[in-house]
Amino acid sequence: MQLLRHSLATLAYRAERALAGAPAEFASFPGAVRTPGEILAHMGDLLDWALSMANGAPRWRDSAPLAWDQGTARFFTALEALDQRLASADPLKAPADKLFQGPIADALTHVGQIAMLRRLAGCPLRGENYYEAAIAVGRVGADQAPAKAVF
């Protein structure tokens, strides 16, 4: 369970980098099949789905994009709820490996898409050595440690 929770903390850290500081108009940047706002809404849906599976009541929904700051808040709220569920003593009602290979890995992929779209939209991220990152189990909110090694 610790590795799964570390995966969520890694997702939070990388997502914070990709989401923070993006201008509001970035949400509607037309650089791909989905806009960044649509991708962000999908990422929130993935985490809601993971939580519903962990609770034994799988439910999928397609959410409409929100304003960038609201979509970001929704994403981190969903991430925190999933992490709290994984930290609880209640047994999972879905296999941990399936939770990782499905919604969590998909969300990590989408963070990369948002990072790429930021570069295309003219608001790129600074490079960072993620191996050196101060990622901690349980730190899954938008308040992440500063970069240790920036390129």
Side-chain angles (χ1 to χ4, degrees):
M1 199 60 61
Q2 285 297 96
L3 184 57
L4 192 56
R5 291 190 66 215
H6 186 80
S7 297
L8 292 183
T10 300
L11 174 58
Y13 187 90
R14 287 178 171 244
E16 188 277 333
R17 297 307 194 260
L19 302 174
E25 62 273 10
F26 174 66
S28 59
F29 177 69
V33 174
R34 288 183 179 163
T35 66
E38 290 169 335
I39 294 169
L40 182 55
H42 178 66
M43 289 166 54
D45 293 341
L46 287 167
L47 296 173
D48 289 344
W49 180 47
L51 180 59
S52 72
M53 288 188 292
N55 289 331
R59 178 184 52 84
W60 177 259
R61 70 178 183 154
D62 287 312
S63 298
L66 301 169
W68 191 253
D69 58 341
Q70 293 171 324
T72 297
R74 175 186 175 234
F75 169 79
F76 284 110
T77 297
L79 194 53
E80 288 169 349
L82 180 57
D83 185 64
Q84 288 173 2
R85 173 61 177 88
L86 295 177
S88 77
D90 295 337
L92 288 178
K93 300 205 169 116
D97 59 336
K98 298 292 188 181
L99 292 174
F100 177 78
Q101 76 187 34
I104 295 169
D106 197 18
L108 282 164
T109 298
H110 293 307
V111 167
Q113 289 174 325
I114 287 175
M116 180 188 69
L117 288 170
R118 282 197 55 170
R119 180 166 294 281
L120 291 172
C123 51
L125 308 174
R126 290 195 65 184
E128 179 176 345
N129 181 343
Y130 290 108
Y131 182 83
E132 298 294 330
I135 295 171
V137 169
R139 186 170 41 212
V140 294
D143 186 22
Q144 293 292 317
K148 283 188 172 184
V150 177
F151 298 116

Short mmCIF file of all heavy atoms in Angstrom, two decimals, residues 102-145:
data_model
loop_
_atom_site.label_atom_id
_atom_site.label_comp_id
_atom_site.label_asym_id
_atom_site.label_seq_id
_atom_site.Cartn_x
_atom_site.Cartn_y
_atom_site.Cartn_z
N GLY A 102 -4.55 1.18 -14.02
CA GLY A 102 -5.66 1.86 -14.68
C GLY A 102 -5.64 3.36 -14.41
O GLY A 102 -4.94 4.12 -15.08
N PRO A 103 -6.40 3.81 -13.43
CA PRO A 103 -6.59 5.25 -13.25
C PRO A 103 -5.33 6.02 -12.84
O PRO A 103 -5.13 7.14 -13.31
CB PRO A 103 -7.67 5.35 -12.18
CG PRO A 103 -7.72 4.03 -11.51
CD PRO A 103 -7.25 3.02 -12.52
N ILE A 104 -4.49 5.47 -12.00
CA ILE A 104 -3.34 6.23 -11.53
C ILE A 104 -2.31 6.41 -12.65
O ILE A 104 -1.83 7.52 -12.89
CB ILE A 104 -2.73 5.59 -10.27
CG1 ILE A 104 -3.75 5.65 -9.13
CG2 ILE A 104 -1.42 6.28 -9.88
CD1 ILE A 104 -3.39 4.82 -7.91
N ALA A 105 -1.98 5.34 -13.35
CA ALA A 105 -1.04 5.45 -14.47
C ALA A 105 -1.59 6.34 -15.57
O ALA A 105 -0.85 7.12 -16.19
CB ALA A 105 -0.69 4.06 -15.01
N ASP A 106 -2.89 6.27 -15.81
CA ASP A 106 -3.51 7.12 -16.81
C ASP A 106 -3.38 8.59 -16.41
O ASP A 106 -3.04 9.44 -17.24
CB ASP A 106 -4.99 6.73 -16.99
CG ASP A 106 -5.59 7.27 -18.27
OD1 ASP A 106 -4.84 7.64 -19.20
OD2 ASP A 106 -6.83 7.32 -18.36
N ALA A 107 -3.61 8.90 -15.14
CA ALA A 107 -3.48 10.28 -14.68
C ALA A 107 -2.04 10.78 -14.83
O ALA A 107 -1.81 11.93 -15.22
CB ALA A 107 -3.96 10.40 -13.24
N LEU A 108 -1.06 9.92 -14.54
CA LEU A 108 0.34 10.31 -14.74
C LEU A 108 0.62 10.63 -16.21
O LEU A 108 1.32 11.60 -16.51
CB LEU A 108 1.27 9.18 -14.27
CG LEU A 108 1.47 9.08 -12.76
CD1 LEU A 108 2.06 7.72 -12.39
CD2 LEU A 108 2.34 10.21 -12.26
N THR A 109 0.06 9.83 -17.10
CA THR A 109 0.22 10.09 -18.53
C THR A 109 -0.35 11.47 -18.89
O THR A 109 0.27 12.24 -19.64
CB THR A 109 -0.48 8.99 -19.36
OG1 THR A 109 0.14 7.75 -19.06
CG2 THR A 109 -0.41 9.28 -20.84
N HIS A 110 -1.50 11.77 -18.35
CA HIS A 110 -2.15 13.05 -18.67
C HIS A 110 -1.39 14.25 -18.10
O HIS A 110 -1.41 15.33 -18.69
CB HIS A 110 -3.60 13.04 -18.22
CG HIS A 110 -4.44 12.09 -19.00
ND1 HIS A 110 -4.50 12.09 -20.38
CD2 HIS A 110 -5.25 11.08 -18.60
CE1 HIS A 110 -5.31 11.13 -20.79
NE2 HIS A 110 -5.77 10.50 -19.73
N VAL A 111 -0.70 14.07 -16.99
CA VAL A 111 0.15 15.15 -16.47
C VAL A 111 1.22 15.47 -17.51
O VAL A 111 1.51 16.64 -17.78
CB VAL A 111 0.79 14.77 -15.11
CG1 VAL A 111 1.90 15.74 -14.73
CG2 VAL A 111 -0.28 14.75 -14.03
N GLY A 112 1.79 14.44 -18.11
CA GLY A 112 2.78 14.66 -19.17
C GLY A 112 2.19 15.38 -20.37
O GLY A 112 2.84 16.23 -20.97
N GLN A 113 0.94 15.06 -20.71
CA GLN A 113 0.30 15.76 -21.82
C GLN A 113 0.13 17.24 -21.50
O GLN A 113 0.38 18.10 -22.36
CB GLN A 113 -1.07 15.13 -22.11
CG GLN A 113 -1.00 13.77 -22.73
CD GLN A 113 -2.39 13.15 -22.87
OE1 GLN A 113 -3.26 13.33 -22.03
NE2 GLN A 113 -2.56 12.39 -23.93
N ILE A 114 -0.28 17.53 -20.29
CA ILE A 114 -0.46 18.94 -19.90
C ILE A 114 0.89 19.66 -19.94
O ILE A 114 0.98 20.79 -20.44
CB ILE A 114 -1.15 19.05 -18.53
CG1 ILE A 114 -2.63 18.67 -18.69
CG2 ILE A 114 -1.01 20.45 -17.95
CD1 ILE A 114 -3.42 18.61 -17.41
N ALA A 115 1.94 19.02 -19.47
CA ALA A 115 3.27 19.63 -19.52
C ALA A 115 3.68 19.92 -20.97
O ALA A 115 4.21 20.99 -21.27
CB ALA A 115 4.29 18.73 -18.83
N MET A 116 3.43 18.99 -21.86
CA MET A 116 3.76 19.18 -23.26
C MET A 116 2.93 20.31 -23.87
O MET A 116 3.44 21.16 -24.60
CB MET A 116 3.52 17.89 -24.05
CG MET A 116 3.86 18.02 -25.52
SD MET A 116 3.35 16.57 -26.47
CE MET A 116 1.59 16.70 -26.39
N LEU A 117 1.64 20.34 -23.55
CA LEU A 117 0.78 21.39 -24.08
C LEU A 117 1.18 22.77 -23.56
O LEU A 117 1.04 23.77 -24.27
CB LEU A 117 -0.69 21.09 -23.77
CG LEU A 117 -1.30 19.94 -24.58
CD1 LEU A 117 -2.66 19.54 -24.02
CD2 LEU A 117 -1.41 20.32 -26.05
N ARG A 118 1.69 22.82 -22.34
CA ARG A 118 2.16 24.11 -21.82
C ARG A 118 3.30 24.65 -22.68
O ARG A 118 3.35 25.83 -22.98
CB ARG A 118 2.59 23.98 -20.37
CG ARG A 118 1.38 23.94 -19.45
CD ARG A 118 1.67 24.22 -18.05
NE ARG A 118 2.37 25.47 -17.83
CZ ARG A 118 2.55 25.98 -16.63
NH1 ARG A 118 2.07 25.36 -15.56
NH2 ARG A 118 3.20 27.11 -16.47
N ARG A 119 4.20 23.77 -23.06
CA ARG A 119 5.31 24.21 -23.91
C ARG A 119 4.77 24.71 -25.26
O ARG A 119 5.16 25.77 -25.75
CB ARG A 119 6.32 23.08 -24.14
CG ARG A 119 7.49 23.49 -25.02
CD ARG A 119 8.62 22.50 -24.97
NE ARG A 119 9.27 22.41 -23.68
CZ ARG A 119 10.17 23.29 -23.21
NH1 ARG A 119 10.49 24.33 -23.94
NH2 ARG A 119 10.71 23.12 -22.04
N LEU A 120 3.85 23.97 -25.84
CA LEU A 120 3.26 24.38 -27.12
C LEU A 120 2.49 25.70 -27.00
O LEU A 120 2.45 26.48 -27.95
CB LEU A 120 2.32 23.29 -27.65
CG LEU A 120 2.98 21.99 -28.10
CD1 LEU A 120 1.92 20.94 -28.41
CD2 LEU A 120 3.87 22.23 -29.31
N ALA A 121 1.90 25.94 -25.86
CA ALA A 121 1.11 27.15 -25.64
C ALA A 121 1.97 28.35 -25.24
O ALA A 121 1.45 29.45 -25.05
CB ALA A 121 0.05 26.89 -24.56
N GLY A 122 3.28 28.13 -25.10
CA GLY A 122 4.17 29.23 -24.78
C GLY A 122 4.32 29.52 -23.30
O GLY A 122 4.82 30.58 -22.93
N CYS A 123 3.92 28.59 -22.45
CA CYS A 123 4.09 28.75 -20.99
C CYS A 123 4.72 27.49 -20.42
O CYS A 123 4.11 26.78 -19.62
CB CYS A 123 2.78 29.12 -20.30
SG CYS A 123 1.37 28.05 -20.68
N PRO A 124 5.97 27.17 -20.86
CA PRO A 124 6.61 25.91 -20.48
C PRO A 124 6.99 25.84 -19.01
O PRO A 124 7.10 26.86 -18.33
CB PRO A 124 7.87 25.88 -21.36
CG PRO A 124 8.18 27.31 -21.59
CD PRO A 124 6.85 28.01 -21.68
N LEU A 125 7.20 24.60 -18.56
CA LEU A 125 7.67 24.34 -17.20
C LEU A 125 9.20 24.37 -17.20
O LEU A 125 9.82 24.10 -18.22
CB LEU A 125 7.22 22.95 -16.75
CG LEU A 125 5.75 22.62 -16.88
CD1 LEU A 125 5.52 21.16 -16.52
CD2 LEU A 125 4.93 23.52 -15.99
N ARG A 126 9.77 24.62 -16.03
CA ARG A 126 11.22 24.48 -15.90
C ARG A 126 11.54 23.01 -15.73
O ARG A 126 10.79 22.27 -15.08
CB ARG A 126 11.70 25.24 -14.67
CG ARG A 126 11.60 26.75 -14.89
CD ARG A 126 12.37 27.50 -13.87
NE ARG A 126 13.80 27.21 -14.05
CZ ARG A 126 14.73 27.68 -13.25
NH1 ARG A 126 14.41 28.42 -12.23
NH2 ARG A 126 16.00 27.38 -13.45
N GLY A 127 12.65 22.58 -16.28
CA GLY A 127 13.08 21.20 -16.11
C GLY A 127 13.49 20.93 -14.67
O GLY A 127 13.93 21.84 -13.96
N GLU A 128 13.32 19.71 -14.24
CA GLU A 128 13.62 19.36 -12.86
C GLU A 128 14.10 17.91 -12.80
O GLU A 128 13.64 17.07 -13.55
CB GLU A 128 12.35 19.53 -12.02
CG GLU A 128 12.51 19.18 -10.57
CD GLU A 128 11.25 19.44 -9.75
OE1 GLU A 128 10.34 20.15 -10.20
OE2 GLU A 128 11.19 18.90 -8.63
N ASN A 129 14.99 17.62 -11.87
CA ASN A 129 15.45 16.26 -11.63
C ASN A 129 14.49 15.62 -10.64
O ASN A 129 14.60 15.83 -9.42
CB ASN A 129 16.88 16.28 -11.08
CG ASN A 129 17.41 14.90 -10.83
OD1 ASN A 129 16.67 13.92 -10.76
ND2 ASN A 129 18.72 14.80 -10.67
N TYR A 130 13.53 14.85 -11.14
CA TYR A 130 12.50 14.25 -10.28
C TYR A 130 13.06 13.17 -9.36
O TYR A 130 12.45 12.86 -8.34
CB TYR A 130 11.35 13.71 -11.12
CG TYR A 130 10.53 14.81 -11.75
CD1 TYR A 130 10.59 15.06 -13.11
CD2 TYR A 130 9.71 15.61 -10.98
CE1 TYR A 130 9.86 16.08 -13.69
CE2 TYR A 130 8.96 16.64 -11.55
CZ TYR A 130 9.05 16.86 -12.91
OH TYR A 130 8.32 17.87 -13.46
N TYR A 131 14.20 12.62 -9.68
CA TYR A 131 14.83 11.64 -8.79
C TYR A 131 15.19 12.29 -7.45
O TYR A 131 15.14 11.66 -6.40
CB TYR A 131 16.08 11.06 -9.46
CG TYR A 131 16.77 10.01 -8.64
CD1 TYR A 131 16.34 8.68 -8.66
CD2 TYR A 131 17.85 10.33 -7.82
CE1 TYR A 131 16.97 7.71 -7.90
CE2 TYR A 131 18.49 9.36 -7.06
CZ TYR A 131 18.04 8.05 -7.10
OH TYR A 131 18.66 7.10 -6.35
N GLU A 132 15.54 13.56 -7.50
CA GLU A 132 15.93 14.31 -6.30
C GLU A 132 14.74 14.97 -5.61
O GLU A 132 14.91 15.59 -4.56
CB GLU A 132 16.95 15.39 -6.67
CG GLU A 132 18.25 14.84 -7.22
CD GLU A 132 19.03 14.05 -6.18
OE1 GLU A 132 18.93 14.35 -4.98
OE2 GLU A 132 19.75 13.11 -6.58
N ALA A 133 13.56 14.86 -6.15
CA ALA A 133 12.39 15.55 -5.62
C ALA A 133 12.03 15.08 -4.22
O ALA A 133 12.17 13.90 -3.89
CB ALA A 133 11.19 15.33 -6.55
N ALA A 134 11.57 16.01 -3.40
CA ALA A 134 11.14 15.71 -2.02
C ALA A 134 9.68 15.27 -2.04
O ALA A 134 8.78 16.02 -1.69
CB ALA A 134 11.34 16.92 -1.14
N ILE A 135 9.46 14.04 -2.47
CA ILE A 135 8.11 13.47 -2.55
C ILE A 135 7.91 12.63 -1.30
O ILE A 135 8.77 11.81 -0.96
CB ILE A 135 7.95 12.64 -3.84
CG1 ILE A 135 8.06 13.56 -5.06
CG2 ILE A 135 6.64 11.86 -3.82
CD1 ILE A 135 8.13 12.86 -6.38
N ALA A 136 6.77 12.83 -0.63
CA ALA A 136 6.51 12.12 0.62
C ALA A 136 5.11 11.53 0.61
O ALA A 136 4.15 12.19 0.21
CB ALA A 136 6.66 13.07 1.81
N VAL A 137 5.01 10.28 1.05
CA VAL A 137 3.71 9.62 1.18
C VAL A 137 2.81 10.51 2.02
O VAL A 137 3.22 11.02 3.06
CB VAL A 137 3.86 8.22 1.81
CG1 VAL A 137 2.52 7.63 2.20
CG2 VAL A 137 4.60 7.29 0.85
N GLY A 138 1.59 10.71 1.54
CA GLY A 138 0.62 11.52 2.26
C GLY A 138 0.59 12.98 1.84
O GLY A 138 -0.38 13.68 2.10
N ARG A 139 1.63 13.47 1.19
CA ARG A 139 1.63 14.86 0.71
C ARG A 139 1.07 14.85 -0.71
O ARG A 139 1.81 14.67 -1.68
CB ARG A 139 3.02 15.47 0.74
CG ARG A 139 2.97 16.96 0.39
CD ARG A 139 4.26 17.72 0.63
NE ARG A 139 5.43 16.99 0.24
CZ ARG A 139 6.61 17.11 0.85
NH1 ARG A 139 6.76 17.90 1.87
NH2 ARG A 139 7.65 16.42 0.41
N VAL A 140 -0.24 14.99 -0.81
CA VAL A 140 -0.91 14.86 -2.10
C VAL A 140 -1.73 16.09 -2.47
O VAL A 140 -2.49 16.07 -3.43
CB VAL A 140 -1.80 13.59 -2.14
CG1 VAL A 140 -0.96 12.33 -2.07
CG2 VAL A 140 -2.84 13.62 -1.04
N GLY A 141 -1.54 17.18 -1.75
CA GLY A 141 -2.24 18.41 -2.06
C GLY A 141 -1.43 19.27 -3.01
O GLY A 141 -0.35 18.88 -3.47
N ALA A 142 -1.93 20.46 -3.27
CA ALA A 142 -1.26 21.38 -4.17
C ALA A 142 -0.03 22.01 -3.52
O ALA A 142 0.81 22.59 -4.22
CB ALA A 142 -2.24 22.47 -4.61
N ASP A 143 0.12 21.92 -2.22
CA ASP A 143 1.26 22.49 -1.52
C ASP A 143 2.40 21.47 -1.53
O ASP A 143 2.45 20.58 -0.68
CB ASP A 143 0.87 22.87 -0.09
CG ASP A 143 1.98 23.60 0.63
OD1 ASP A 143 2.85 24.19 -0.03
OD2 ASP A 143 1.96 23.58 1.88
N GLN A 144 3.29 21.59 -2.49
CA GLN A 144 4.39 20.65 -2.66
C GLN A 144 5.72 21.33 -2.34
O GLN A 144 5.84 22.55 -2.35
CB GLN A 144 4.41 20.11 -4.09
CG GLN A 144 3.22 19.25 -4.43
CD GLN A 144 3.23 17.93 -3.67
OE1 GLN A 144 4.25 17.28 -3.53
NE2 GLN A 144 2.05 17.55 -3.18
N ALA A 145 6.72 20.53 -2.05
CA ALA A 145 8.06 21.03 -1.75
C ALA A 145 8.65 21.70 -2.99
O ALA A 145 8.35 21.31 -4.12
CB ALA A 145 8.95 19.86 -1.31
#
